[in-house]
Amino acid sequence: MKSDAAKKGLTKAPHRSLFKALGLTNDEINQPLVAIVNSANEIIPGHRDLDKIAAAAKAGVRMAGGTPMEFSTIGICDGIAMNHAGMRYSLPSREVIADSVELSLEAHQFDGAVLIANCDKIVPGMLMAACRVDIPSVFVSGGPMLAGRSGDKAVDLISVFEAVGQAKAGQISEEELEALSDVACPGCGSCSGLFTANSMNCLAEAIGLALPGNGTIPAVNAARIRLAKEAGKLAVKLIADDLTPSKIVGAGSLKNALAVDMAIGGSTNTMLHLPAIVNELDLDFSLEMVDAISAKTPNICRISPAGTDHLEDLNEAGGIPAVMKELDKKNLIDKEALTVLGNVGDIIKSARNRNEKVIRSIDNPHQATGGLAVLRGNLAPDGAIVKQSAVRKEMLTHTGPARVFDTEEDAAEAIMTGSAKSGDVIIVRYEGPKGGPGMREMLTLTSTLAGMGLDAEVALITDGRFSGGTRGAAIGHVSPEAMEGGPIAYIQDGDIIEIDILSRKLNAQVSEAEMTARAKLWRQPERKITKGYLSRYADIVSSADKGAIVERAKKD
């Protein structure tokens, strides 16, 4: 066992003494040591109750003859960090989480791990660490919260963000807005729509590092506790079998994850997190691969914000195994790909689609192509991402004049004061990984436009990113970003922008000669932040099309 390096032999008597100081017996010390990596805290609703998940996972480890040992890491709530300086720290926290988990796993020579998280950057950060350290690992989330109820309507956090726009437009009162905030998030768990947290929790299943049900079983359901116990038991089995992430996650696993992502209409942020995870295993990832899978994978679910269903509905309909079984009808799933529980084919064999209103038959999809689309053109030579399943039909193609802003705050003020006009293409730049720094989500912008009814009339383009809760013609991840001298830096007010999501095109009606002339005049602006972690992050982070990763030397 790997942990023998820290506990076996004559020279490790002092180490055993420290283990005994924890109250461990010799039997416990001699068993496999399983890290319970817990990101519980009291600021994120999805994480407040993770102590219960950790307790269940530890019980499972003990049942299987292992010794669980818990340690923690940080987490940031994107909703609370939204629309202020705090959002700059969200995406960069992914790297801190991955590094901190790696440090503790390696320093203490754990034999295996159960990784427990629930929200945005914490989930991919832990999966990155598991792949990097490459010890037997199982991921388990705390589960989605239930949708709220407002009258006879299901509501969620995005309902409140959009209601801000309704209040600004005078469509509802401030009292009605506050009443909605009382009921939209009825309890703890990851926010109830298919936003980034739940997208990644579902894709953890599809890529093979989590048990079936991980992405969809509600946080309040007792099945979630049972799932955590099974994860603990499984971690000990994986140690015995020496089955590590690098032996599970391969090219087939990635294709499965991308196919599921397209089928369910996951968050655009998955295009940052999936490449970051598979980069740890030196697997190839490209936006061309994404677009090819999107082109042949039907979108069969419309979960909020793209529709009115929520994760509890997807769970009752059969969850991710049922989605994968539908996709397998068109040979879109690699059934030989491994998971922590066996191969995919065995897992989906018993799956059943129990509600074709929630998970449509693959012969009757919402659309013939996937939920995400990769756009290219002279505005985004290296690509841009849009959640096309959440775009109004009338905005799938759009041409309009650019309204250019160099910060999210300036764009927000323009929208809030009503100066955004029908037909406008709002461009927000210098918000990318380096330029932000930190690539802020802009949920307030998109939700306010949607709440004001302008999501059918106004497009948003940014080198920053959007929340998984975004709907509308919101095109993010424009690469190269403005801070690196990408073409988005040269766009001027009034330039005509052409968006054709169906044809995967994003262009400015500006001649090549004019763009070249503007490029020669461009000067990189001063950084917004020049000290602390974000300054260091800006030095080393890659572009969005590569996943905003911290690049490292590849193995020979």
Side-chain angles (χ1 to χ4, degrees):
M1 291 188 294
K2 184 175 182 177
S3 64
D4 286 351
K7 66 187 185 185
K8 290 286 187 180
L10 188 70
T11 61
K12 298 305 186 295
H15 305 61
R16 292 192 293 276
S17 181
L18 291 169
F19 282 124
K20 291 173 182 178
L22 298 171
L24 297 183
T25 66
N26 284 328
D27 286 342
E28 289 174 303
I29 295 169
N30 290 329
Q31 291 177 159
L33 301 185
V34 181
I36 306 297
V37 189
N38 188 2
S39 53
N41 59 57
E42 294 184 346
I43 187 65
I44 310 176
H47 285 230
R48 193 198 66 179
D49 292 340
L50 291 186
D51 57 335
K52 299 179 179 65
I53 302 298
K58 285 188 275 190
V61 169
R62 292 190 183 99
M63 281 190 281
T67 300
M69 306 187 79
E70 183 177 347
F71 68 83
S72 62
T73 188
I74 65 164
I76 289 173
C77 179
D78 279 19
I80 295 173
M82 194 70 65
N83 193 33
H84 56 76
M87 178 47 70
R88 289 196 174 98
Y89 293 84
S90 174
L91 182 59
S93 74
R94 184 186 72 185
E95 314 309 314
V96 174
I97 292 161
D99 290 349
S100 67
V101 175
E102 173 198 2
L103 289 170
S104 196
L105 288 177
E106 292 285 44
H108 301 110
Q109 295 289 285
F110 280 104
D111 297 303
V114 178
L115 303 115
I116 302 169
N118 213 21
C119 295
D120 294 75
K121 309 313 158 302
I122 306 96
V123 174
M126 287 202 180
L127 293 174
M128 288 165 65
C131 292
R132 185 185 304 169
V133 177
D134 202 28
I135 59 174
S137 302
V138 185
F139 176 81
V140 59
S141 79
M145 70 172 65
L146 299 175
R149 305 296 303 184
S150 180
D152 60 354
K153 181 181 177 182
V155 293
D156 53 44
L157 179 66
I158 305 306
S159 307
V160 187
F161 272 99
E162 293 185 359
V164 172
Q166 295 173 322
K168 283 287 183 181
Q171 298 169 14
I172 63 172
S173 67
E174 289 188 25
E175 289 75 18
E176 289 173 307
L177 173 61
E178 195 63 26
L180 180 60
S181 76
D182 287 340
V183 298
C185 298
C188 285
S190 48
C191 296
S192 57
L194 195 62
F195 316 142
T196 304
N198 290 327
S199 295
M200 290 307 304
N201 284 330
C202 289
L203 296 190
E205 286 186 50
I207 208 167
L209 294 177
L211 287 163
N214 176 76
T216 58
I217 297 172
V220 296
N221 197 318
R224 175 61 57 180
I225 300 298
R226 296 197 296 271
L227 186 77
K229 289 179 180 178
E230 292 299 330
K233 289 166 60 179
L234 184 57
V236 179
K237 182 179 185 299
L238 294 177
I239 293 169
D241 295 341
D242 191 29
L243 191 57
T244 67
S246 68
K247 298 174 183 176
I248 293 171
V249 180
S253 311
L254 176 57
K255 290 177 182 177
N256 286 346
L258 287 170
V260 168
D261 199 5
M262 299 306 157
I264 63 178
S267 164
T268 52
N269 283 315
T270 61
M271 294 300 101
L272 297 173
H273 301 323
L274 282 177
I277 292 165
V278 301
N279 176 67
E280 300 292 346
L281 298 169
D282 294 322
L283 295 176
D284 290 333
F285 183 98
S286 69
L287 292 185
E288 288 79 11
M289 178 194 304
V290 172
D291 211 30
I293 291 175
S294 178
K296 64 183 181 182
T297 306
N299 176 230
I300 58 176
C301 298
R302 286 284 167 92
I303 312 296
S304 175
T308 57
D309 294 325
H310 290 81
L311 266 293
E312 62 203 78
D313 303 306
L314 180 57
N315 186 63
E316 291 172 3
I320 298 306
V323 171
M324 296 180 82
K325 191 163 188 174
E326 285 293 337
L327 294 177
D328 185 51
K329 293 177 181 178
K330 299 288 187 181
N331 297 314
L332 297 172
I333 291 295
D334 184 342
K335 291 190 290 187
E336 297 305 312
L338 285 179
T339 77
V340 291
L341 198 59
N343 67 41
V344 169
D346 289 340
I347 290 172
I348 67 174
K349 191 180 298 183
S350 60
R352 185 167 64 90
N353 184 353
R354 296 190 288 267
N355 188 341
E356 289 195 1
K357 291 181 179 179
V358 178
I359 305 173
R360 284 198 177 186
S361 163
I362 199 163
D363 296 316
N364 180 36
H366 291 283
Q367 64 187 40
T369 57
L372 302 181
V374 180
L375 311 185
R376 293 184 188 273
N378 69 353
L379 190 51
D382 292 340
I385 303 292
V386 64
K387 189 173 186 175
Q388 63 175 342
S389 59
V391 178
R392 299 273 286 265
K393 289 183 178 179
E394 53 267 49
M395 290 297 288
L396 290 170
T397 58
H398 179 78
T399 300
R403 293 282 307 282
V404 182
F405 302 92
D406 287 348
T407 69
E408 178 189 359
E409 287 82 1
D410 290 344
E413 183 178 0
I415 293 170
M416 292 290 191
T417 57
S419 65
K421 299 294 187 288
S422 178
D424 281 350
V425 178
I426 296 174
I427 292 181
V428 188
R429 62 191 180 193
Y430 297 107
E431 290 287 2
K434 291 182 180 293
M439 205 179 182
R440 288 190 287 179
E441 285 185 348
M442 300 183 191
L443 179 58
T444 296
L445 300 187
T446 58
S447 297
T448 302
L449 285 172
M452 296 171 75
L454 291 174
D455 58 318
E457 303 170 10
V458 174
L460 269 169
I461 298 173
T462 182
D463 56 4
R465 63 195 178 96
F466 295 109
S467 164
T470 288
R471 62 185 175 98
I475 300 166
H477 305 203
V478 169
S479 299
E481 65 173 289
M483 197 67 173
E484 292 190 316
I488 192 172
Y490 321 142
I491 299 301
Q492 298 176 0
D493 281 338
D495 287 346
I496 301 302
I497 308 298
E498 297 176 302
I499 301 168
D500 189 339
I501 295 172
L502 299 176
S503 299
R504 305 297 197 259
K505 294 179 180 177
L506 180 62
N507 288 296
Q509 289 184 3
V510 180
S511 70
E512 185 177 349
E514 174 63 16
M515 289 291 269
T516 299
R518 292 181 187 180
K520 290 179 180 178
L521 296 173
W522 177 79
R523 297 292 180 271
Q524 187 181 66
E526 293 183 4
R527 283 187 181 177
K528 296 168 186 170
I529 294 178
T530 57
K531 64 180 181 179
Y533 177 66
L534 288 186
S535 179
R536 300 195 302 275
Y537 178 81
D539 286 337
I540 56 178
V541 67
S542 80
S543 59
D545 64 295
K546 295 180 180 178
I549 61 173
V550 173
E551 295 185 283
R552 57 188 173 83
K554 293 288 185 181
K555 297 175 183 176
D556 293 332

